[in-house]
Amino acid sequence: MSAGLSSGSNDGLEPIDRTAKRPVVANGILGMMLFILTEVMLFAGLVSAFTIAKSAAPVWPPPGQPRLPIEATAFNSVVLFASAVALLFAHRAFHKGDRESMRRPMWLALGLGSFFVIFQGFEWVTLLSEGLTMTSSTYGAFFYLIVGIHALHAFGAIALLARANHRLQQGWLTPGLFGAAEMFWFFVVGVWPVIYLVVYL
Amino acid sequence: MAESIPTQPSDPHADDHHHEEQSFVSKYLLSTDHKVIGMQYMFTGMAMALIGGFMAYAFRMQLAFPGVEVPLWGVVTPANYTALVTNHGAIMIFWVAMPVLIAAFGNYLIPLMVGCDDMVFPKINRLSYQIFLLSAIVLISSYFVDGGGFGGAWTTYPPLSAKAEYNLTPMGASIFIGAVGLEFVAFLLGGINFITTAMNARAPGMKLYDIPMVIWMIVIASILFMVSVGPLLAGAIMLLFDQQLGTAFYDPNRGGDPVLWQHLFWFFGHPEVYVVLLPAIGITAEIITVFSRKKLFAYRTVLNTAIGTGVLSFCVWAHHQFISGIDPRMAHVFTLTTLLISIPIAEMMFVYIATLYGGAIRLATPMLWALAFIFEFLIGGVTGIFLGASGADIYLHDTYFVLAHFHYTFFPIAIIGTFAGVTYWFPKMFGKMMSDRLGKIHFWGTIIPFNFIFIPLFFLGAGGQHRRIYDFQNFPALAGEGMQDLRILATTSLLVMLGFQLVFFYNFITSLMKGKAAGKNPWKANTLEWTAESPPPHGNWKELPTVYRGPYEYSVPGREKDYWPQDEPN
Amino acid sequence: MRLKSLRLKGFLILGLVGMALIWPDFAEACAVCGAAQDEATRKAFVGTTAFMTFLPLGMLFLVVGWYIRRTLQREEEEEQRSER
């Protein structure tokens, strides 16, 4: 597109500041807030569906199906929370304007988040080999559906966070991008305990 | 579709923004300009409306004259019939009402009416249209795959929609779900843009209560859409898995529950009605104030009732499931909330009538459409009361009474509301006036046949005619002489109405070619879009406007002119 | 007097709503639906309905309400500044 209004560095994610007055919330953050509202409802729908299927079953979990690894996932949840805490430190440093001491917690948050997703992947492989599949029962189907959709969101959030980190290394991380990325990651972390309580326990 | 956008006269201000000459493709197909994207949505929506209207023609012919060879289609087989009905419903709601009312008017009007040069996320906006176009192409492609288009009604209730051995459209059903899913993603992106732009990019001086009503309505509608679509997306993924991976989310034999789908679907499905209704109500507000030269009666009341409608719209959806075996305790709660929601809507109608009262009314074409919207929608609303009562609904459920009721709501919204908006903003969009005489011929030629299509259907529905029957000759109670006559009346009226749409297209094209030049403000309206050139150049204004007052200051005592534009200091 | 009659009306409406909740008995209108044959599933449907209905309303009330309040507050501040 033309260069005049949308500047060259603009990729559609970085909103253009169009007015002189200061908005209550930056464009990128407001957009992400609205997106997260939608996502919360997506998970609300999934969790509701799961609750109904669970209550309709005579025995839950269905007999003859492998059990979900509650302890290992509890450990993994702690890793996820640690990543959110690391991001909080980055948040603090960012708002103090201290870009140097922000780098380490950013890398830590990214690393722990990636560990969570990879660990989940290993868990899936084990469960699949034990005979829990999408077609073996609604138990398995809902497990892979809900946890899978959460994992997809985790992927997206990590990608956005990595992008923010890349910008940080280049030295022009904007509050809009960082705010949106951290908000999405906090959403992914925040929705996980609900999933753990409903699906695993 | 997008290619049919007419070449606009090159505007003299283009150079002010330092734009190099653009090729046709980059100017009209890959543009991030909100006006071009709005047009793309509008023309795509109109093309889809033609397809949806043609489908209605084909299956109405079958109902009035069973087994006849329908011109341009051929004999309508039972499989054809179900696919046509299904896709007519889905197209008219998801590919006509939503893109035109929310996306086209939202894209075109929001930056112009709040006084900024473009959307805040222009590239996301372009992506939104591209995904939407893709979804339309995907939907149409379902007609050409093995087994044909999906025929399980636009509500896609499982188990019919979940298993190929029931619906006999192994590919069509999944393509249908995929197309609807893509369409939702497109509107999600669009909705984020609309809300953020209207909230964050307003012109200096424009306070919250200075925003024109149509913008508020589009914003509220976008919020409703965004928070209601999640559960349906979840349900759609589950349905797709049932179809393609053999899971059993909705299969009662293997631990699933088919009512679960209805639960997730109608959680979105009912707010969706208000998602398309609110923009149409907003368009009406703009038009009746301009053409009766009066201030909108009780601006804040309209806004608050719109918010109230939005809140209540989340509490009424289970009224679609009164006979699905839901808990009767729930049915009664939902009866009450359903009847309650008529109150804010009625309040808005009264506010509009109060606005008209004592005004200097000028019955130009847009005003006729706006008045017709109020009148026809009222009939739709009043018949809804019968269906909202769970006792009456047991008899009326899935009859033509339901069908006539929601056509009396959706037709005023999607067709009358759209024509009102298009005839009103046409001078701004293309810089030319539309012919008022042809506009009025088109108006009466649409409204009168419309009533003759659907009033007979109320009687047929009350007489027990079921919605999903291919040929009524097989049912002695429904095949009687009187009932068949009503069906023929409805179909004939449909043909008349479709014929009169040619007047609109003729008017549209001739006005584009040799219409009278419109000038900046042909209707003498207050809102900001009328202070820009017609059509507005890329960037909308040379200098962005400043706002000093609300949008509806008409006939202010002591002023020479009877209107007071928002950007005039005094 | 007016307040009293308003309160009376409120109680009347509450009573009607309460009666509507208590009165209905179970009736399976749909002959082929396998859903909600037992009380546990019925309760799950009622519970998730309430959850899905009030979650978005609660979120909107918090987020949009906060945003609108902040905006109005800021508009007021600006007005005061320009008056000075």
Side-chain angles (χ1 to χ4, degrees), chain B residues 33 46 49 55 111 146 158 201 238 264 328 331 345 468 523 526 540:
Chain B
D33 182 16
M46 280 183 178
M55 288 173 165
D146 191 25
M238 285 153 65
L264 298 170
I345 300 289
R468 312 205 190 276
W523 307 120
N526 283 348
N540 297 342

Side-chain angles (χ1 to χ4, degrees), chain B residues 323-328, chain C residues 25-31 33-38 42:
Chain B
I323 69 155
S324 304
I326 62 162
D327 195 326
Chain C
D25 210 346
F26 302 114
E28 296 299 337
C30 172
C33 294
Q37 296 291 344
D38 60 313
R42 275 199 196 105

